[in-house]
Amino acid sequence: MKTLLRSTLAISIGLALVACGSDDEPAEDEVIVVAPVAQQPTEQVTQKQSGSLTIVVVDAATGLHPVDEGGVNIPVSYTLLQDVARLVNLKGEALTEADAKFENSDNAVSLALGAIAATELVKINVIAEADGYFPNNIVAQLSVEQSEPVVTIRLTPKALPDDIQVDVETSVQPLTDLATNVVFDSTTGVITADSPMTITVDVQQDGEASTGGAAITLPSGTALLAVNEAGESVPLTSAPEVAIGYYSNEALAEGETDATPAESAIDYFPGGLAVDLQGNDGATEGDFLTGGFVAIEITDDAGNKVKTFGKNDDGSDKSIEVKMQVDVNTNNACPMVFGTSDIEQGAVTAFAEDASKATDGAYFKQGVCEASAAARKIESGDIIPIWSYEETAGSWQFESYGVAVENADNAAILDVVVQVNHLSFWNLDYFLKGTQRCASQVRFALEDKNGNPNAVSATLLLEAQGGGARFLRKGYEWGGADSAIFYRPPAYPVTIQFLVDGENVLLGTQDDAVAGQPKVLQVAELCELEGETLVLDVEAPEVHDQTIKTSLVCDETGAAAGTIFPEPIATSTYVYLYKDTYQFYYTDNSGEALAENLETGADYTAYVYDFANNRYITSTVTATSADDTINLEIPTQCEVIEQPVTGGTGGTGAGGTGG
């Protein structure tokens, strides 16, 4: 007769184990699984870090994690940049250089901040990529006041569903379908055809909403070159596929300030609209007011992406044509008029950066608006800077200046045509320097219509009056539901809404709120709301506090019949509960934490962190009552050790001291 002894591994480096006996002789076929000690050694306890950053990646069309045709999560590649040296993993261990680039298919991933000073603002640039999607990034900010942010990165599918509710259009086609007699030479990367190869996307909406589109044209004889790991230009290995996505700036016509959509193409703008530009003079902090942007990728069967197009006979870089269209309702925040359609790139650049040529006081330097001027609608002849997005760095760079000209077929749009010598996202944007922001930070409180601190998760929608900039922030992206904080907000006029189930519930400030009459609040700049309290047309749900317990349990998969498993072992870890917003908790060595203000009877998605496998385990739990406990278990691989029975004097049962 044999008895199998089984041990449970701890989160990181293992638990001390003891065997236990039994007062009863085991049956011939019975497998006895002996519990580890109930108390973890102190030095193995995972301590709560000073801050944490959780990243949620969603499909722009569904709002859920990207999935394949079978409904299985698609792996997402993450790259971390900027203040990465400040980060640690959730166990407090320093990240290596290799840790700054990783792949994960979980619904959420988390990293930690070991320490943070009272006045610090730590920025982490997170780039996310997945097969079948255009890449995107976000710059997350951590501070003492906002130490546990959850940020969302929205990835736009290269092939969008027809029923998407935002002004985004995409097209994916083999390049060989764009002209006749197309021939690709894989030894040189050169593609030839009987005519230029053009791919076009268009946005057309009913009513007076935005219109626009984009087109790229490749001349016959263009070389399609990728960049290898050594930084060398190499030809694609097969005839490529071209993907183009056009994102409207969704400019508003006059009188449309109340007709603001809950979702917008601007929500998918790579990196957001508050950015740090890297230039010859160092980083310039500021804000984009966009006229729309275009994502372009040309990719071979091996996944290599085109970056450049080869050389002309004189050694200069070959270029392709990119045409972008901008809505005539777009706000021009830096109105400088070139005034002619006879456009030569060098002449436009020289004019745009000549202060003596300023119109209405406006001129540019490296794409940045150097002088404030009264904004107006864009007109034919206006200069507009053009920016490119480097997906591997998650940053925007100034490229050149374009001039808006009338579209012969559509009076609702203006055309901007440029020649580009590398492939990227291309963006029409006015960039306002950080000196045009109104304060270091702005905080305002939120209360419900009964005067209580707000407890309902709402989405904050902040937009530039007249369009071109928009900040959509889910409740979990700023922390608690009873206040909101902005760091260095832009100084231009904005509209504000709070959305619940897609409907605006903002009643205004305490001074002018009228129950049952939601409004779009308009302010000259966000800083006017510093110290204010905004009132939402909501009522507090019935809530209660409930204990969470986290524990390790043996994974029973494949266990022999008759196996006796030990009791769960309390363990410290991180927990999120999600229902419209993320609530963050840390369970100490007792394995317990108190979850506050759970909505009674509501279902939550629970995320419990499994340190052994560096991932979250998800489950659905119901917030029943304060008298019940939410038990969250982490399945752990328990080693089975075969050992002959030698008898014993009995013990204390599972978790006992005999053996």
Side-chain angles (χ1 to χ4, degrees):
M1 180 177 67
K2 295 183 291 186
T3 300
L4 298 183
L5 301 183
R6 193 173 177 112
S7 61
T8 303
L9 303 179
I11 288 179
S12 55
I13 61 175
L15 295 171
L17 306 178
V18 294
C20 71
S22 172
D23 291 331
D24 300 317
E25 185 71 14
E28 184 73 23
D29 297 330
E30 186 176 26
V31 179
I32 298 177
V33 179
V34 182
V37 292
Q39 179 65 45
Q40 297 182 58
T42 302
E43 62 270 19
Q44 294 182 13
V45 174
T46 303
Q47 301 296 334
K48 186 175 187 292
Q49 303 303 312
S50 297
S52 66
L53 168 63
T54 297
I55 308 154
V56 179
V57 172
V58 299
D59 182 314
T62 66
L64 305 174
H65 191 285
V67 297
D68 61 20
E69 292 181 355
V72 177
N73 280 7
I74 293 174
V76 176
S77 296
Y78 296 87
T79 302
L80 308 176
L81 300 169
Q82 216 155 331
D83 293 344
V84 179
R86 300 295 309 280
L87 290 176
V88 295
N89 62 25
L90 292 186
K91 290 184 279 188
E93 300 167 342
L95 298 183
T96 66
E97 186 175 335
D99 293 330
K101 190 173 181 63
F102 60 95
E103 186 174 270
N104 195 294
S105 58
D106 292 338
N107 291 326
V109 296
S110 288
L111 297 161
L113 196 64
I116 185 168
T119 58
E120 274 192 302
L121 184 62
V122 178
K123 297 182 178 181
I124 306 297
N125 190 348
V126 185
I127 305 169
E129 300 178 83
D131 286 345
Y133 293 81
F134 291 112
N136 202 349
N137 78 298
I138 195 168
V139 179
Q141 300 183 133
L142 294 89
S143 67
V144 168
E145 291 183 301
Q146 207 167 16
S147 61
E148 296 165 355
V150 182
V151 297
T152 302
I153 301 178
R154 298 172 178 85
L155 298 183
T156 304
K158 293 179 181 177
L160 276 171
D162 293 335
D163 59 352
I164 186 131
Q165 298 299 305
V166 297
D167 283 1
V168 179
E169 288 292 338
T170 63
S171 179
V172 182
Q173 296 182 47
L175 201 55
T176 51
D177 288 355
L178 301 180
T180 55
N181 295 324
V182 178
V183 177
F184 175 75
D185 185 343
S186 60
T187 61
T188 62
V190 172
I191 191 162
T192 57
D194 289 345
S195 62
M197 292 153 278
T198 298
I199 183 170
T200 302
V201 288
D202 252 316
V203 167
Q204 295 289 337
Q205 277 199 345
D206 295 335
E208 296 181 5
S210 62
T211 57
I216 61 171
T217 300
L218 282 73
S220 177
T222 299
L224 304 177
L225 305 177
V227 176
N228 62 19
E229 292 183 358
E232 302 165 328
S233 292
V234 294
L236 296 190
T237 59
S238 61
E241 182 178 76
V242 57
I244 179 171
Y246 170 74
Y247 302 69
S248 167
N249 69 337
E250 297 190 350
L252 296 174
E254 294 296 335
E256 283 193 71
T257 55
D258 290 340
T260 307
E263 298 288 339
S264 165
I266 301 176
D267 299 335
Y268 313 132
F269 194 101
L273 293 163
V275 300
D276 294 342
L277 295 178
Q278 303 299 321
N280 297 332
D281 299 330
T284 300
E285 190 179 59
D287 299 272
F288 279 138
L289 280 170
T290 186
F293 62 102
V294 182
I296 307 168
E297 284 189 356
I298 301 177
T299 312
D300 66 14
D301 293 341
N304 301 306
K305 297 179 182 179
V306 170
K307 296 300 291 185
T308 58
F309 308 106
K311 300 287 186 180
N312 293 308
D313 293 339
D314 62 0
S316 60
D317 292 329
K318 283 188 175 181
S319 62
I320 65 171
E321 181 182 279
V322 176
K323 179 170 71 174
M324 293 172 274
Q325 296 171 334
V326 58
D327 192 319
V328 295
N329 293 303
T330 296
N331 265 5
N332 185 338
C334 200
M336 188 180 190
V337 183
F338 186 66
T340 175
S341 59
D342 184 15
I343 301 167
E344 192 278 318
Q345 187 59 60
V348 176
T349 298
F351 184 95
E353 300 194 349
D354 187 344
S356 69
K357 301 288 200 315
T359 56
D360 296 325
Y363 69 101
F364 301 92
K365 181 180 179 182
Q366 286 292 297
V368 176
C369 185
E370 280 295 303
S372 59
R376 58 165 171 77
K377 300 299 183 186
I378 194 169
E379 298 174 358
S380 179
D382 283 0
I383 294 173
I384 184 167
I386 299 165
W387 308 81
S388 68
Y389 177 74
E390 176 48 61
E391 62 193 60
T392 60
S395 63
W396 288 94
Q397 305 288 335
F398 171 68
E399 286 288 336
S400 61
Y401 298 97
V403 176
V405 297
E406 293 180 0
N407 182 289
D409 302 317
N410 187 349
I413 55 177
L414 299 169
D415 291 338
V416 181
V417 179
V418 292
Q419 298 292 320
V420 302
N421 57 22
H422 64 100
L423 211 52
S424 174
F425 286 15
W426 297 92
N427 178 26
L428 299 175
D429 255 297
Y430 299 103
F431 186 84
L432 306 180
K433 290 189 292 187
T435 53
Q436 295 163 292
R437 293 179 178 177
C438 58
S440 59
Q441 69 177 41
V442 174
R443 178 192 289 274
F444 50 88
L446 299 170
E447 66 179 32
D448 65 25
K449 63 183 180 182
N450 298 317
N452 304 308
N454 177 52
V456 176
S457 178
T459 295
L460 171 60
L461 178 56
L462 176 73
E463 295 184 294
Q465 293 183 27
R470 171 179 164 116
F471 301 87
L472 183 75
R473 298 178 64 184
K474 304 290 187 181
Y476 61 77
E477 292 181 275
W478 72 68
D482 60 354
S483 67
I485 184 171
F486 272 88
Y487 294 105
R488 295 186 58 76
Y492 46 71
V494 295
T495 62
I496 300 170
Q497 298 179 67
F498 278 88
L499 308 177
V500 175
D501 295 329
E503 297 293 329
N504 181 33
V505 296
L506 177 61
L507 297 176
T509 65
Q510 283 179 315
D511 296 334
D512 62 7
V514 179
Q517 297 182 23
K519 67 180 66 174
V520 177
L521 186 62
Q522 299 189 39
V523 294
E525 58 181 43
L526 194 64
C527 291
E528 291 183 9
L529 297 180
E530 171 61 30
E532 287 276 4
T533 297
L534 301 186
V535 183
L536 306 185
D537 195 19
V538 296
E539 289 190 83
E542 180 184 347
V543 297
H544 65 272
D545 298 343
Q546 191 166 347
T547 299
I548 296 173
K549 285 188 177 180
T550 54
S551 58
L552 295 168
V553 296
C554 286
D555 186 349
E556 300 183 19
T557 304
T563 298
I564 300 173
F565 289 95
E567 293 297 317
I569 300 171
T571 185
S572 57
T573 191
Y574 292 86
V575 175
Y576 282 100
L577 296 181
Y578 176 75
K579 179 189 175 294
D580 302 323
T581 186
Y582 286 86
Q583 296 173 239
F584 176 87
Y585 302 99
Y586 169 79
T587 58
D588 59 19
N589 195 35
S590 70
E592 293 189 6
L594 186 65
E596 299 178 334
N597 297 320
L598 298 185
E599 185 176 338
T600 303
D603 290 334
Y604 288 78
T605 300
Y607 295 75
V608 57
Y609 198 74
D610 175 5
F611 282 91
N613 296 296
N614 191 31
R615 65 186 298 267
Y616 281 102
I617 297 172
T618 60
S619 60
T620 300
V621 299
T622 303
T624 49
S625 73
D627 297 328
D628 291 335
T629 299
I630 296 174
N631 291 300
L632 301 173
E633 297 181 340
I634 303 173
T636 305
Q637 291 300 315
C638 299
E639 183 182 1
V640 177
I641 303 173
E642 201 168 308
Q643 178 175 306
V645 172
T646 58
T649 58
T652 60
T657 59

